[in-house]
């Protein structure tokens, strides 16, 4: 990639269409649907709405962060369960919360290389349908039982089991190397970076205000499909159900901290909630878009992924990735018309923003003389973010790309920076452009 954003092959990857399901709180509207169901619904509808003949598609990249043990290759399922021709090659990706950023940059790279001309990129997540595991002791006993020689053997194996061995084990949002949950890690960041509870609640309130405003003014109407709901399919989910128009800073201040009950600052109100949903984009070569008579929503100009030590500030990845992505784009933060940052926690976004503006961080952590700079609040997450809209892990990146490109169009802007923090202390940054 050259520093003016032109790929060496001269081919640009255009995002020509996108769609998402409503994002709903886990255990509510999509309780009886799986991630594969949600993904297939959005891919099918996206293909239909795009007006692109299905035979034009040649590849698909899709992600799911907490995969189902029974459907391990969601990417290929998105082809087999939709109207796409069976000849569309597909693969599955995961980069934790940046999964559909990864799906999009993979698709864009294949297009830039000339290996693909018309692709789908996206992700789906169902926390309602997350796998529940048996304890290790129970699992081992079941394996031994299957090999047991006689009744005596069976009784000996069963007699080892205690009631606690039968307790189901849910997947944990824990960092394996530190043993801390995302929330506990974000709590540490709030303390280290001096992010107050008030600042977090104010940020969360704004996320709700802006997301509710975007719904009210019809901004989301064309990017959110309605999903018929089982078992009778006589009801549909048509809107996000986490956004609270009427929440106030005072109401948020009343909520009790969840991850550090005594001294903590993170609550259900200033964290992203556990969410079900799916989102997908159509990514094509510029030439193919033109040949199909499509006007691109925008182009992938540059991107960067970065990583730090998970024992340090787990969700600070965006502060490492953003300067590299902007360098690769040949642009500065000041050139951006919009900045969209994934809101895992208000404390995390506010920590990332502090690092963006800090000369000490730039010198010590990045070896740069100048900090990235201050983000203009009027350009940041202007239609709300993951705190208000929800965060179906693998779908969030595609949601952000679609939402940002459509807003860029409304504002007749040219450039946008997107960032996502992710488990494993990873960070993603993407620079999008309109012609
Ligand atoms: C924080 C978390 C534990 C809260 O889960 P929960 O307790 O099921 O949350 P709820 O939605 O029931 O909210 C708890 C309470 O806060 C209230 N609340 C939540 N958001 C609110 C808001 N914006 N305004 C006012 N009240 C709010 C709810 O009404 C509820 O009140 P009630 O107990 O009187 O019914 C859960 O969302 C979580 O684990 N989030 C983090 C996910 C994560 O790690 N994301 C990052 C991945 S990188």
């Amino acid at each position: 990639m050259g520093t003016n954003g032109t790929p060496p092959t001269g081919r640009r990857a255009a995002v020509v269409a996108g769609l998402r399901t409503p994002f709903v709180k886990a255990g509510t509207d999509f309780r009886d649907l799986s991630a594969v169901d949600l993904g297939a619904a959005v891919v099918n509808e996206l293909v239909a709405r795009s007006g692109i003949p299905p035979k034009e598609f040649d590849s698909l990249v899709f992600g799911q962060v907490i995969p189902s043990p029974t459907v391990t290759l969601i990417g290929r399922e998105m082809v087999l369960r939709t109207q796409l021709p069976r000849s569309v090659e597909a693969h599955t990706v995961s980069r934790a919360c940046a999964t559909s950023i990864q799906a999009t940059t993979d698709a864009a790279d294949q297009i830039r290389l000339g290996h693909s001309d018309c692709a789908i990129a996206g992700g789906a997540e169902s926390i309602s349908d997350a796998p529940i595991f048996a304890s290790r002791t129970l699992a081992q006993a079941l394996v031994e039982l299957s090999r047991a020689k006689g009744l005596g053997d069976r009784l000996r194996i069963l007699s080892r089991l205690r009631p606690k061995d039968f307790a189901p084990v849910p997947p944990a949002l824990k960092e394996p190397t530190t043993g801390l949950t995302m929330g506990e890690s974000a709590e540490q960041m709030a303390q280290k970076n001096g992010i107050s509870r008030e600042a977090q609640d104010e940020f969360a309130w704004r996320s709700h205000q802006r997301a509710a405003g975007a719904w009210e003014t019809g901004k989301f109407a064309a990017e959110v499909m309605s999903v018929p709901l089982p078992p009778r399919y006589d009801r549909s989910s048509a809107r996000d159900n986490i956004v609270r128009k009427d929440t106030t800073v005072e109401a948020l201040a009343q909520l009790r901290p969840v991850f550090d009950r005594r001294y903590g600052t993170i609550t259900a109100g200033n964290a992203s909630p556990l969410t079900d949903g799916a989102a997908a984009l159509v990514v094509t070569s510029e030439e193919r878009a033109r040949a199909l008579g499509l006007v691109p929503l925008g182009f992938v100009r540059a991107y960067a992924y970065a990583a730090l030590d998970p024992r340090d500030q787990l969700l600070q990845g965006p502060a490492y990735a953003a300067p590299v992505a902007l360098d690769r784009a040949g642009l500065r933060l000041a050139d951006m018309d919009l900045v969209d940052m994934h809101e895992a926690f208000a404390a995390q976004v506010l920590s990332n923003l502090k690092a963006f503006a800090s000369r000490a961080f730039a010198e010590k952590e990045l070896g740069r003389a100048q900090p990235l700079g201050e983000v203009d609040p009027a350009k940041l997450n202007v239609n709300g973010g993951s705190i208000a809209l929800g965060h179906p892990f693998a779908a969030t990146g595609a949601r952000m790309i679609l939402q940002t490109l459509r807003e860029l169009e409304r504002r007749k802007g040219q450039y946008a920076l997107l960032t996502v923090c992710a488990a494993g202390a990873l960070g993603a940054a993407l620079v999008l452009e309109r012609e």
Side-chain angles (χ1 to χ4, degrees):
M1 173 65 97
T3 49
N4 61 355
T6 315
T9 57
R11 284 166 61 94
R12 287 206 297 170
V15 178
V16 298
L19 193 66
R20 69 173 173 93
T21 67
F23 283 3
V24 308
K25 192 168 152 56
T28 64
D29 287 355
F30 295 161
R31 194 180 46 224
D32 298 326
L33 294 166
S34 67
V36 176
D37 295 333
L38 293 169
V42 85
V43 169
N44 233 348
E45 181 80 9
L46 173 62
V47 171
R49 288 195 193 185
S50 74
I52 303 172
K55 67 175 172 39
E56 293 289 332
F57 290 89
D58 53 39
S59 67
L60 181 146
V61 194
F62 222 76
Q64 186 182 359
V65 173
I66 306 181
S68 155
T70 52
V71 184
T72 49
L73 193 56
I74 191 171
R76 184 63 176 148
E77 289 303 309
M78 292 303 100
V79 176
L80 301 178
R81 295 191 192 206
T82 61
Q83 60 189 302
L84 289 169
R86 301 289 196 252
S87 57
V88 173
E89 65 86 7
H91 71 281
T92 298
V93 290
S94 174
R95 199 188 271 275
C97 299
T99 288
S100 49
I101 299 285
Q102 184 69 52
T104 306
T105 60
D106 273 14
D109 285 348
Q110 290 300 304
I111 283 161
R112 292 198 277 218
L113 281 167
H115 295 172
S116 169
D117 279 305
C118 189
I120 287 190
E125 205 72 47
S126 171
I127 305 297
S128 300
D129 186 38
I132 305 286
F133 302 99
S135 72
R136 192 69 188 258
T137 325
L138 179 59
Q140 281 168 345
L142 291 172
V143 172
E144 282 182 46
L145 271 177
S146 70
R147 295 200 207 110
K149 292 264 171 347
L151 185 62
D153 244 9
R154 287 200 189 94
L155 289 174
R156 188 181 47 77
I157 295 164
L158 288 171
S159 69
R160 286 204 319 255
L161 292 169
R162 298 286 166 267
K164 70 171 171 36
D165 298 328
F166 291 92
V169 183
L173 291 175
K174 265 189 187 165
E175 196 56 31
T177 42
T178 63
L180 297 179
T181 62
M182 293 287 150
E184 287 163 344
S185 304
E187 197 66 83
Q188 284 187 345
M189 288 175 70
Q191 279 170 27
K192 277 190 188 159
N193 302 310
I195 310 293
S196 69
R197 167 78 187 263
E198 291 70 30
Q200 292 175 47
D201 288 346
E202 166 95 23
F203 185 88
W205 171 77
R206 194 165 303 116
S207 183
H208 281 278
Q209 288 295 305
R210 289 178 169 179
W215 268 114
E216 267 177 18
T217 51
K219 284 184 174 178
F220 290 153
E223 63 198 58
V224 182
M225 66 180 283
S226 94
V227 177
L229 300 173
R232 298 165 69 90
Y233 296 94
D234 51 353
R235 295 177 306 126
S236 294
S237 158
R239 273 176 88 121
D240 303 322
N241 72 4
I242 296 161
V243 184
R244 296 182 188 226
K245 182 180 173 234
D246 54 357
T247 197
T248 59
V249 175
E250 292 72 32
L252 286 161
Q254 297 302 313
L255 300 177
R256 305 206 17 216
V258 244
F259 301 105
D260 174 352
R261 289 179 181 275
R262 209 144 168 212
Y263 303 110
T265 54
I266 297 180
T267 67
N270 60 35
S272 61
L274 297 170
T275 311
D276 299 335
L281 306 167
V282 178
V283 190
T284 71
S285 65
E286 196 172 4
E287 295 70 23
R288 183 63 64 91
R290 204 174 302 125
L292 290 166
L294 298 165
V295 180
L297 292 169
F299 296 87
V300 173
R301 176 154 171 136
Y303 66 86
Y305 296 101
L308 63 146
D309 188 333
R311 291 167 300 185
D312 199 3
Q313 300 208 31
L314 187 77
L315 305 175
Q316 198 68 301
Y320 295 78
V324 182
L326 285 168
D327 280 355
R328 289 178 182 166
L331 295 167
R332 293 162 307 142
L333 183 60
D335 297 322
M336 298 298 115
D337 298 293
L338 288 172
V339 176
D340 207 79
M341 298 174 71
H342 163 52
E343 302 167 352
F345 301 91
Q348 156 265 321
V349 182
L350 295 170
S351 295
N352 296 166
L353 288 170
K354 269 203 166 176
F356 279 9
S358 160
R359 185 176 297 274
F361 178 86
E363 287 172 357
K364 191 163 153 282
E365 293 295 323
L366 308 176
R368 291 171 179 253
Q370 298 297 328
L372 190 67
E374 304 258 359
V375 175
D376 178 352
K379 295 180 179 175
L380 178 66
N381 295 10
V382 295
N383 292 318
S386 301
I387 290 174
L389 294 168
H391 173 35
F393 307 131
T396 289
R399 189 272 297 161
M400 290 169 66
I401 294 171
L402 176 61
Q403 195 170 307
T404 304
L405 285 175
R406 296 190 72 237
E407 183 62 30
L408 212 49
E409 187 180 17
R410 275 181 218 109
R411 295 180 178 218
K412 305 283 170 252
Q414 194 174 7
Y415 300 118
L417 171 71
L418 270 63
T419 67
V420 181
C421 59
L426 296 167
L430 184 67
V431 180
L432 299 170
E433 68 179 332
R434 278 181 74 241
E435 264 174 320

